[in-house]
Amino acid sequence: MGGQTTRPTLVMGILNVTPDSFSDGGRWTDVDAAVAQGLRLAADGAALVDVGGESTRPGAARVAPSEERERVIPVIEALTEAGVATSIDTMHADTAVAAVSAGASVVNDVSGGLADARMAPAVAELGCDYVAMHWRAHSHEMDAADVYEDIVREVGDELAARVDALTRAGVDESRVILDPGLGFAKVTDSNWPLLADLDWARGHRVLIGASRKRFLGAAIAAVGGDGADPSAREHATTAVTTASALRGVWGVRVHDAAAARDAIAVVSALTNTSHRAR
């Protein structure tokens, strides 16, 4: 099955230094507060703290790369100095280069290189791991792009095209991690096939980013729960983390690192146990 790894699933902790992210916008816009949250995420089990300076929620306004860098670089520098491993959540090549120079070890690009033609050659030059997410449109128009006949095949084909473009630009294919883009041009039911069937990954490492997203709220509401508040979707997020870890994915991107760490620990204990006759 595509996307599996023999190592325990990695926890990527979300640190949005934005005023408008859907779940935690405005909480960590101050550098000191953001750094403190990054340290908490690391202490709670995040192997990477994913620092982002531009919201990609549905309908979000774009942010100038210069403003994005002003938000993220001081945070990455401080976390690096404190010994915390970071990734940079950006669609902009200039921000990616600045962030890696400041200490980030992974570039997490929700556009898979489509939003900035300079991203692929920049990543090739940086020589770092690169998360290429499935993406069809910017935030203000992505819901309208939720049109598929066979979503697993189409997402797989579109991601394969991104991998081809990246490798042609000089990116080492072994450095590429694929993300199905849950919630991006996938409003509700379109997300579940991509979690149930990892064939779209075609052997690459997989990052799953389901944390607190709308499709989880819809699933909760369908059984009479209150899924409207993103913070009320944490148990559902942990269920996805558990399922992802059982499938052997490389990483999960989450708001609650401790919950993900504990779920992965249980999966590891379960899968590594051996039956002994009594």
Side-chain angles (χ1 to χ4, degrees):
M1 184 184 304
Q4 289 187 325
T5 177
T6 57
R7 297 180 179 179
T9 297
L10 170 150
V11 177
M12 178 185 281
I14 298 169
L15 181 56
N16 292 318
V17 290
T18 58
D20 56 346
S21 291
F22 80 95
S23 176
D24 55 0
R27 296 188 66 187
W28 320 117
T29 53
D30 176 77
V31 172
D32 290 341
V35 172
Q37 174 63 3
L39 293 171
R40 280 191 291 270
L41 287 167
D44 285 347
L48 283 170
V49 173
D50 193 40
V51 184
E54 178 179 8
S55 174
T56 53
R57 65 174 174 79
R62 298 303 312 280
V63 174
S66 58
E67 182 177 355
E68 181 187 41
R69 291 193 295 275
E70 289 175 3
R71 293 174 177 180
V72 301
I73 299 304
V75 177
I76 291 171
E77 288 176 337
L79 289 174
T80 300
E81 186 174 352
V84 174
T86 61
S87 53
I88 176 64
D89 174 9
T90 185
M91 292 183 279
H92 300 291
D94 290 345
T95 301
V97 171
V100 172
S101 296
S105 57
V106 178
V107 175
N108 180 18
D109 179 359
V110 301
S111 80
L114 287 169
D116 186 343
R118 299 173 301 155
M119 181 65 87
V123 171
E125 181 69 22
L126 291 170
C128 62
D129 276 359
Y130 176 73
V131 179
M133 195 190 82
H134 178 260
W135 185 86
R136 284 185 165 182
H138 284 291
S139 298
H140 66 282
E141 56 187 359
M142 65 183 182
D143 283 357
D146 180 14
V147 180
Y148 304 91
E149 292 185 3
D150 181 338
I151 191 167
V152 173
R153 177 184 57 78
E154 290 173 57
V155 167
D157 288 348
E158 290 169 33
L159 283 172
R162 299 313 309 145
V163 173
D164 288 345
L166 290 163
T167 54
R168 287 197 305 270
V171 177
D172 182 346
E173 188 171 351
S174 70
R175 291 286 199 175
V176 178
I177 300 154
L178 298 183
D179 180 336
L182 302 177
F184 289 79
K186 304 162 195 79
V187 179
T188 303
D189 292 340
S190 296
N191 296 277
W192 297 110
L194 299 168
L195 287 170
D197 185 348
L198 297 182
D199 282 353
W200 53 266
R202 301 182 184 180
H204 286 84
R205 290 178 289 167
V206 168
L207 176 67
I208 295 294
S211 191
R212 302 179 181 175
K213 288 187 175 177
R214 291 178 295 168
F215 77 100
L216 298 181
I220 295 167
V223 295
D226 180 10
D229 181 354
S231 65
R233 304 167 188 166
E234 197 54 59
H235 296 314
T237 299
T238 304
V240 174
T241 292
T242 303
S244 299
L246 282 166
R247 305 295 294 282
V249 306
W250 172 80
V252 289
R253 184 177 181 273
V254 297
H255 293 85
D256 188 336
R261 174 202 62 202
D262 293 351
I264 292 164
V266 169
V267 169
S268 294
L270 176 65
T271 55
N272 291 327
T273 194
S274 59
H275 175 74
R276 293 187 180 89
R278 296 185 179 181

PDB file of all heavy atoms in Angstrom, residues 58-91:
ATOM      1  N   PRO A  58     -10.891  28.503   3.824  1.00  0.00           N
ATOM      2  CA  PRO A  58     -11.742  28.936   2.715  1.00  0.00           C
ATOM      3  C   PRO A  58     -12.077  30.426   2.816  1.00  0.00           C
ATOM      4  O   PRO A  58     -12.506  30.907   3.864  1.00  0.00           O
ATOM      5  CB  PRO A  58     -13.002  28.070   2.881  1.00  0.00           C
ATOM      6  CG  PRO A  58     -12.508  26.849   3.584  1.00  0.00           C
ATOM      7  CD  PRO A  58     -11.428  27.320   4.517  1.00  0.00           C
ATOM      8  N   GLY A  59     -11.854  31.157   1.740  1.00  0.00           N
ATOM      9  CA  GLY A  59     -12.167  32.575   1.698  1.00  0.00           C
ATOM     10  C   GLY A  59     -11.100  33.496   2.247  1.00  0.00           C
ATOM     11  O   GLY A  59     -11.274  34.718   2.244  1.00  0.00           O
ATOM     12  N   ALA A  60      -9.988  32.954   2.702  1.00  0.00           N
ATOM     13  CA  ALA A  60      -8.951  33.793   3.307  1.00  0.00           C
ATOM     14  C   ALA A  60      -8.311  34.719   2.279  1.00  0.00           C
ATOM     15  O   ALA A  60      -8.132  34.360   1.108  1.00  0.00           O
ATOM     16  CB  ALA A  60      -7.874  32.915   3.938  1.00  0.00           C
ATOM     17  N   ALA A  61      -7.947  35.934   2.735  1.00  0.00           N
ATOM     18  CA  ALA A  61      -7.265  36.899   1.880  1.00  0.00           C
ATOM     19  C   ALA A  61      -5.788  36.538   1.766  1.00  0.00           C
ATOM     20  O   ALA A  61      -5.204  35.980   2.700  1.00  0.00           O
ATOM     21  CB  ALA A  61      -7.419  38.305   2.446  1.00  0.00           C
ATOM     22  N   ARG A  62      -5.191  36.831   0.621  1.00  0.00           N
ATOM     23  CA  ARG A  62      -3.774  36.586   0.422  1.00  0.00           C
ATOM     24  C   ARG A  62      -2.943  37.562   1.252  1.00  0.00           C
ATOM     25  O   ARG A  62      -3.381  38.661   1.596  1.00  0.00           O
ATOM     26  CB  ARG A  62      -3.393  36.748  -1.063  1.00  0.00           C
ATOM     27  CG  ARG A  62      -4.069  35.789  -2.022  1.00  0.00           C
ATOM     28  CD  ARG A  62      -3.822  34.320  -1.678  1.00  0.00           C
ATOM     29  NE  ARG A  62      -2.442  34.000  -1.413  1.00  0.00           N
ATOM     30  CZ  ARG A  62      -1.503  33.792  -2.340  1.00  0.00           C
ATOM     31  NH1 ARG A  62      -1.819  33.885  -3.630  1.00  0.00           N
ATOM     32  NH2 ARG A  62      -0.275  33.486  -2.010  1.00  0.00           N
ATOM     33  N   VAL A  63      -1.730  37.161   1.561  1.00  0.00           N
ATOM     34  CA  VAL A  63      -0.791  37.965   2.352  1.00  0.00           C
ATOM     35  C   VAL A  63       0.458  38.193   1.515  1.00  0.00           C
ATOM     36  O   VAL A  63       0.957  37.265   0.860  1.00  0.00           O
ATOM     37  CB  VAL A  63      -0.429  37.245   3.673  1.00  0.00           C
ATOM     38  CG1 VAL A  63       0.661  38.001   4.417  1.00  0.00           C
ATOM     39  CG2 VAL A  63      -1.668  37.094   4.549  1.00  0.00           C
ATOM     40  N   ALA A  64       0.971  39.417   1.524  1.00  0.00           N
ATOM     41  CA  ALA A  64       2.201  39.714   0.784  1.00  0.00           C
ATOM     42  C   ALA A  64       3.351  38.896   1.361  1.00  0.00           C
ATOM     43  O   ALA A  64       3.446  38.731   2.582  1.00  0.00           O
ATOM     44  CB  ALA A  64       2.522  41.200   0.876  1.00  0.00           C
ATOM     45  N   PRO A  65       4.238  38.370   0.515  1.00  0.00           N
ATOM     46  CA  PRO A  65       5.361  37.578   1.023  1.00  0.00           C
ATOM     47  C   PRO A  65       6.198  38.318   2.057  1.00  0.00           C
ATOM     48  O   PRO A  65       6.690  37.701   3.015  1.00  0.00           O
ATOM     49  CB  PRO A  65       6.177  37.274  -0.241  1.00  0.00           C
ATOM     50  CG  PRO A  65       5.182  37.322  -1.355  1.00  0.00           C
ATOM     51  CD  PRO A  65       4.200  38.391  -0.965  1.00  0.00           C
ATOM     52  N   SER A  66       6.372  39.618   1.893  1.00  0.00           N
ATOM     53  CA  SER A  66       7.173  40.379   2.855  1.00  0.00           C
ATOM     54  C   SER A  66       6.517  40.370   4.239  1.00  0.00           C
ATOM     55  O   SER A  66       7.199  40.213   5.264  1.00  0.00           O
ATOM     56  CB  SER A  66       7.358  41.818   2.366  1.00  0.00           C
ATOM     57  OG  SER A  66       6.100  42.447   2.161  1.00  0.00           O
ATOM     58  N   GLU A  67       5.188  40.511   4.280  1.00  0.00           N
ATOM     59  CA  GLU A  67       4.478  40.464   5.565  1.00  0.00           C
ATOM     60  C   GLU A  67       4.528  39.059   6.153  1.00  0.00           C
ATOM     61  O   GLU A  67       4.681  38.890   7.370  1.00  0.00           O
ATOM     62  CB  GLU A  67       3.028  40.904   5.380  1.00  0.00           C
ATOM     63  CG  GLU A  67       2.233  40.939   6.669  1.00  0.00           C
ATOM     64  CD  GLU A  67       0.818  41.448   6.492  1.00  0.00           C
ATOM     65  OE1 GLU A  67       0.471  41.876   5.363  1.00  0.00           O
ATOM     66  OE2 GLU A  67       0.047  41.415   7.480  1.00  0.00           O
ATOM     67  N   GLU A  68       4.395  38.062   5.297  1.00  0.00           N
ATOM     68  CA  GLU A  68       4.490  36.674   5.750  1.00  0.00           C
ATOM     69  C   GLU A  68       5.839  36.430   6.420  1.00  0.00           C
ATOM     70  O   GLU A  68       5.911  35.834   7.504  1.00  0.00           O
ATOM     71  CB  GLU A  68       4.306  35.732   4.559  1.00  0.00           C
ATOM     72  CG  GLU A  68       4.369  34.257   4.904  1.00  0.00           C
ATOM     73  CD  GLU A  68       4.342  33.388   3.669  1.00  0.00           C
ATOM     74  OE1 GLU A  68       5.009  33.748   2.666  1.00  0.00           O
ATOM     75  OE2 GLU A  68       3.674  32.344   3.697  1.00  0.00           O
ATOM     76  N   ARG A  69       6.911  36.893   5.802  1.00  0.00           N
ATOM     77  CA  ARG A  69       8.244  36.699   6.380  1.00  0.00           C
ATOM     78  C   ARG A  69       8.394  37.431   7.704  1.00  0.00           C
ATOM     79  O   ARG A  69       9.027  36.920   8.638  1.00  0.00           O
ATOM     80  CB  ARG A  69       9.322  37.139   5.386  1.00  0.00           C
ATOM     81  CG  ARG A  69       9.420  36.231   4.164  1.00  0.00           C
ATOM     82  CD  ARG A  69      10.676  36.500   3.363  1.00  0.00           C
ATOM     83  NE  ARG A  69      10.688  37.831   2.769  1.00  0.00           N
ATOM     84  CZ  ARG A  69      10.127  38.137   1.603  1.00  0.00           C
ATOM     85  NH1 ARG A  69       9.479  37.196   0.917  1.00  0.00           N
ATOM     86  NH2 ARG A  69      10.199  39.358   1.114  1.00  0.00           N
ATOM     87  N   GLU A  70       7.825  38.612   7.804  1.00  0.00           N
ATOM     88  CA  GLU A  70       7.892  39.350   9.071  1.00  0.00           C
ATOM     89  C   GLU A  70       7.217  38.580  10.200  1.00  0.00           C
ATOM     90  O   GLU A  70       7.631  38.658  11.354  1.00  0.00           O
ATOM     91  CB  GLU A  70       7.228  40.724   8.914  1.00  0.00           C
ATOM     92  CG  GLU A  70       8.029  41.707   8.061  1.00  0.00           C
ATOM     93  CD  GLU A  70       7.279  43.005   7.825  1.00  0.00           C
ATOM     94  OE1 GLU A  70       6.165  43.154   8.382  1.00  0.00           O
ATOM     95  OE2 GLU A  70       7.796  43.860   7.082  1.00  0.00           O
ATOM     96  N   ARG A  71       6.196  37.830   9.869  1.00  0.00           N
ATOM     97  CA  ARG A  71       5.483  37.040  10.874  1.00  0.00           C
ATOM     98  C   ARG A  71       6.256  35.787  11.293  1.00  0.00           C
ATOM     99  O   ARG A  71       6.305  35.451  12.475  1.00  0.00           O
ATOM    100  CB  ARG A  71       4.112  36.621  10.331  1.00  0.00           C
ATOM    101  CG  ARG A  71       3.132  37.752  10.106  1.00  0.00           C
ATOM    102  CD  ARG A  71       1.856  37.241   9.431  1.00  0.00           C
ATOM    103  NE  ARG A  71       0.862  38.296   9.253  1.00  0.00           N
ATOM    104  CZ  ARG A  71      -0.331  38.124   8.688  1.00  0.00           C
ATOM    105  NH1 ARG A  71      -0.663  36.913   8.215  1.00  0.00           N
ATOM    106  NH2 ARG A  71      -1.165  39.126   8.569  1.00  0.00           N
ATOM    107  N   VAL A  72       6.829  35.083  10.316  1.00  0.00           N
ATOM    108  CA  VAL A  72       7.342  33.741  10.611  1.00  0.00           C
ATOM    109  C   VAL A  72       8.821  33.679  10.968  1.00  0.00           C
ATOM    110  O   VAL A  72       9.229  32.838  11.790  1.00  0.00           O
ATOM    111  CB  VAL A  72       7.056  32.771   9.439  1.00  0.00           C
ATOM    112  CG1 VAL A  72       5.570  32.678   9.171  1.00  0.00           C
ATOM    113  CG2 VAL A  72       7.807  33.164   8.177  1.00  0.00           C
ATOM    114  N   ILE A  73       9.642  34.525  10.373  1.00  0.00           N
ATOM    115  CA  ILE A  73      11.091  34.366  10.539  1.00  0.00           C
ATOM    116  C   ILE A  73      11.535  34.548  11.982  1.00  0.00           C
ATOM    117  O   ILE A  73      12.323  33.726  12.505  1.00  0.00           O
ATOM    118  CB  ILE A  73      11.870  35.288   9.584  1.00  0.00           C
ATOM    119  CG1 ILE A  73      11.546  34.942   8.124  1.00  0.00           C
ATOM    120  CG2 ILE A  73      13.378  35.170   9.835  1.00  0.00           C
ATOM    121  CD1 ILE A  73      11.788  33.501   7.732  1.00  0.00           C
ATOM    122  N   PRO A  74      11.083  35.580  12.720  1.00  0.00           N
ATOM    123  CA  PRO A  74      11.515  35.691  14.117  1.00  0.00           C
ATOM    124  C   PRO A  74      11.116  34.481  14.965  1.00  0.00           C
ATOM    125  O   PRO A  74      11.862  34.085  15.870  1.00  0.00           O
ATOM    126  CB  PRO A  74      10.806  36.962  14.608  1.00  0.00           C
ATOM    127  CG  PRO A  74      10.509  37.737  13.378  1.00  0.00           C
ATOM    128  CD  PRO A  74      10.221  36.712  12.319  1.00  0.00           C
ATOM    129  N   VAL A  75       9.969  33.892  14.655  1.00  0.00           N
ATOM    130  CA  VAL A  75       9.509  32.725  15.410  1.00  0.00           C
ATOM    131  C   VAL A  75      10.393  31.515  15.108  1.00  0.00           C
ATOM    132  O   VAL A  75      10.811  30.786  16.021  1.00  0.00           O
ATOM    133  CB  VAL A  75       8.029  32.427  15.084  1.00  0.00           C
ATOM    134  CG1 VAL A  75       7.557  31.166  15.801  1.00  0.00           C
ATOM    135  CG2 VAL A  75       7.152  33.622  15.456  1.00  0.00           C
ATOM    136  N   ILE A  76      10.686  31.297  13.837  1.00  0.00           N
ATOM    137  CA  ILE A  76      11.547  30.170  13.459  1.00  0.00           C
ATOM    138  C   ILE A  76      12.941  30.338  14.050  1.00  0.00           C
ATOM    139  O   ILE A  76      13.531  29.372  14.568  1.00  0.00           O
ATOM    140  CB  ILE A  76      11.599  30.034  11.926  1.00  0.00           C
ATOM    141  CG1 ILE A  76      10.237  29.558  11.400  1.00  0.00           C
ATOM    142  CG2 ILE A  76      12.706  29.070  11.485  1.00  0.00           C
ATOM    143  CD1 ILE A  76      10.105  29.591   9.898  1.00  0.00           C
ATOM    144  N   GLU A  77      13.476  31.543  13.996  1.00  0.00           N
ATOM    145  CA  GLU A  77      14.807  31.787  14.570  1.00  0.00           C
ATOM    146  C   GLU A  77      14.827  31.467  16.059  1.00  0.00           C
ATOM    147  O   GLU A  77      15.756  30.807  16.550  1.00  0.00           O
ATOM    148  CB  GLU A  77      15.214  33.237  14.333  1.00  0.00           C
ATOM    149  CG  GLU A  77      15.554  33.549  12.882  1.00  0.00           C
ATOM    150  CD  GLU A  77      15.864  35.018  12.655  1.00  0.00           C
ATOM    151  OE1 GLU A  77      15.422  35.866  13.462  1.00  0.00           O
ATOM    152  OE2 GLU A  77      16.534  35.329  11.646  1.00  0.00           O
ATOM    153  N   ALA A  78      13.809  31.924  16.792  1.00  0.00           N
ATOM    154  CA  ALA A  78      13.781  31.706  18.235  1.00  0.00           C
ATOM    155  C   ALA A  78      13.590  30.232  18.567  1.00  0.00           C
ATOM    156  O   ALA A  78      14.236  29.710  19.498  1.00  0.00           O
ATOM    157  CB  ALA A  78      12.667  32.543  18.863  1.00  0.00           C
ATOM    158  N   LEU A  79      12.714  29.544  17.846  1.00  0.00           N
ATOM    159  CA  LEU A  79      12.510  28.117  18.101  1.00  0.00           C
ATOM    160  C   LEU A  79      13.757  27.315  17.754  1.00  0.00           C
ATOM    161  O   LEU A  79      14.118  26.371  18.469  1.00  0.00           O
ATOM    162  CB  LEU A  79      11.303  27.609  17.318  1.00  0.00           C
ATOM    163  CG  LEU A  79       9.937  28.095  17.814  1.00  0.00           C
ATOM    164  CD1 LEU A  79       8.829  27.648  16.866  1.00  0.00           C
ATOM    165  CD2 LEU A  79       9.664  27.596  19.227  1.00  0.00           C
ATOM    166  N   THR A  80      14.418  27.678  16.676  1.00  0.00           N
ATOM    167  CA  THR A  80      15.667  26.999  16.304  1.00  0.00           C
ATOM    168  C   THR A  80      16.714  27.176  17.395  1.00  0.00           C
ATOM    169  O   THR A  80      17.399  26.215  17.782  1.00  0.00           O
ATOM    170  CB  THR A  80      16.187  27.541  14.964  1.00  0.00           C
ATOM    171  OG1 THR A  80      15.210  27.305  13.946  1.00  0.00           O
ATOM    172  CG2 THR A  80      17.498  26.877  14.577  1.00  0.00           C
ATOM    173  N   GLU A  81      16.825  28.394  17.900  1.00  0.00           N
ATOM    174  CA  GLU A  81      17.797  28.659  18.978  1.00  0.00           C
ATOM    175  C   GLU A  81      17.472  27.838  20.221  1.00  0.00           C
ATOM    176  O   GLU A  81      18.369  27.413  20.950  1.00  0.00           O
ATOM    177  CB  GLU A  81      17.790  30.145  19.318  1.00  0.00           C
ATOM    178  CG  GLU A  81      18.865  30.547  20.322  1.00  0.00           C
ATOM    179  CD  GLU A  81      18.937  32.042  20.544  1.00  0.00           C
ATOM    180  OE1 GLU A  81      18.267  32.799  19.817  1.00  0.00           O
ATOM    181  OE2 GLU A  81      19.679  32.466  21.464  1.00  0.00           O
ATOM    182  N   ALA A  82      16.175  27.572  20.431  1.00  0.00           N
ATOM    183  CA  ALA A  82      15.752  26.779  21.586  1.00  0.00           C
ATOM    184  C   ALA A  82      15.848  25.277  21.328  1.00  0.00           C
ATOM    185  O   ALA A  82      15.501  24.479  22.206  1.00  0.00           O
ATOM    186  CB  ALA A  82      14.322  27.144  21.960  1.00  0.00           C
ATOM    187  N   GLY A  83      16.288  24.881  20.140  1.00  0.00           N
ATOM    188  CA  GLY A  83      16.462  23.469  19.825  1.00  0.00           C
ATOM    189  C   GLY A  83      15.223  22.775  19.308  1.00  0.00           C
ATOM    190  O   GLY A  83      15.162  21.541  19.283  1.00  0.00           O
ATOM    191  N   VAL A  84      14.228  23.554  18.858  1.00  0.00           N
ATOM    192  CA  VAL A  84      12.985  22.974  18.333  1.00  0.00           C
ATOM    193  C   VAL A  84      13.062  22.894  16.814  1.00  0.00           C
ATOM    194  O   VAL A  84      13.368  23.887  16.149  1.00  0.00           O
ATOM    195  CB  VAL A  84      11.776  23.827  18.761  1.00  0.00           C
ATOM    196  CG1 VAL A  84      10.497  23.324  18.099  1.00  0.00           C
ATOM    197  CG2 VAL A  84      11.627  23.820  20.272  1.00  0.00           C
ATOM    198  N   ALA A  85      12.788  21.722  16.273  1.00  0.00           N
ATOM    199  CA  ALA A  85      12.781  21.538  14.820  1.00  0.00           C
ATOM    200  C   ALA A  85      11.517  22.150  14.232  1.00  0.00           C
ATOM    201  O   ALA A  85      10.420  21.979  14.773  1.00  0.00           O
ATOM    202  CB  ALA A  85      12.854  20.055  14.480  1.00  0.00           C
ATOM    203  N   THR A  86      11.671  22.865  13.127  1.00  0.00           N
ATOM    204  CA  THR A  86      10.534  23.550  12.518  1.00  0.00           C
ATOM    205  C   THR A  86      10.412  23.231  11.035  1.00  0.00           C
ATOM    206  O   THR A  86      11.376  22.840  10.373  1.00  0.00           O
ATOM    207  CB  THR A  86      10.657  25.083  12.666  1.00  0.00           C
ATOM    208  OG1 THR A  86      11.845  25.529  12.008  1.00  0.00           O
ATOM    209  CG2 THR A  86      10.677  25.501  14.123  1.00  0.00           C
ATOM    210  N   SER A  87       9.199  23.437  10.533  1.00  0.00           N
ATOM    211  CA  SER A  87       8.931  23.457   9.098  1.00  0.00           C
ATOM    212  C   SER A  87       8.258  24.784   8.795  1.00  0.00           C
ATOM    213  O   SER A  87       7.715  25.440   9.685  1.00  0.00           O
ATOM    214  CB  SER A  87       8.037  22.282   8.686  1.00  0.00           C
ATOM    215  OG  SER A  87       6.853  22.223   9.472  1.00  0.00           O
ATOM    216  N   ILE A  88       8.287  25.186   7.535  1.00  0.00           N
ATOM    217  CA  ILE A  88       7.663  26.432   7.122  1.00  0.00           C
ATOM    218  C   ILE A  88       6.482  26.122   6.214  1.00  0.00           C
ATOM    219  O   ILE A  88       6.627  25.429   5.203  1.00  0.00           O
ATOM    220  CB  ILE A  88       8.673  27.393   6.426  1.00  0.00           C
ATOM    221  CG1 ILE A  88       7.966  28.660   5.909  1.00  0.00           C
ATOM    222  CG2 ILE A  88       9.430  26.688   5.296  1.00  0.00           C
ATOM    223  CD1 ILE A  88       7.362  29.528   6.993  1.00  0.00           C
ATOM    224  N   ASP A  89       5.324  26.642   6.587  1.00  0.00           N
ATOM    225  CA  ASP A  89       4.096  26.465   5.828  1.00  0.00           C
ATOM    226  C   ASP A  89       3.947  27.690   4.924  1.00  0.00           C
ATOM    227  O   ASP A  89       3.514  28.755   5.379  1.00  0.00           O
ATOM    228  CB  ASP A  89       2.929  26.350   6.811  1.00  0.00           C
ATOM    229  CG  ASP A  89       1.569  26.301   6.144  1.00  0.00           C
ATOM    230  OD1 ASP A  89       1.519  26.191   4.906  1.00  0.00           O
ATOM    231  OD2 ASP A  89       0.562  26.382   6.871  1.00  0.00           O
ATOM    232  N   THR A  90       4.313  27.548   3.653  1.00  0.00           N
ATOM    233  CA  THR A  90       4.292  28.689   2.748  1.00  0.00           C
ATOM    234  C   THR A  90       4.125  28.255   1.302  1.00  0.00           C
ATOM    235  O   THR A  90       4.536  27.151   0.920  1.00  0.00           O
ATOM    236  CB  THR A  90       5.575  29.531   2.871  1.00  0.00           C
ATOM    237  OG1 THR A  90       5.461  30.704   2.056  1.00  0.00           O
ATOM    238  CG2 THR A  90       6.813  28.746   2.437  1.00  0.00           C
ATOM    239  N   MET A  91       3.542  29.153   0.497  1.00  0.00           N
ATOM    240  CA  MET A  91       3.461  28.960  -0.947  1.00  0.00           C
ATOM    241  C   MET A  91       4.477  29.823  -1.683  1.00  0.00           C
ATOM    242  O   MET A  91       4.553  29.769  -2.905  1.00  0.00           O
ATOM    243  CB  MET A  91       2.058  29.313  -1.456  1.00  0.00           C
ATOM    244  CG  MET A  91       0.978  28.366  -0.999  1.00  0.00           C
ATOM    245  SD  MET A  91      -0.654  28.793  -1.709  1.00  0.00           S
ATOM    246  CE  MET A  91      -1.129  30.125  -0.584  1.00  0.00           C
TER     247      MET A  91
END
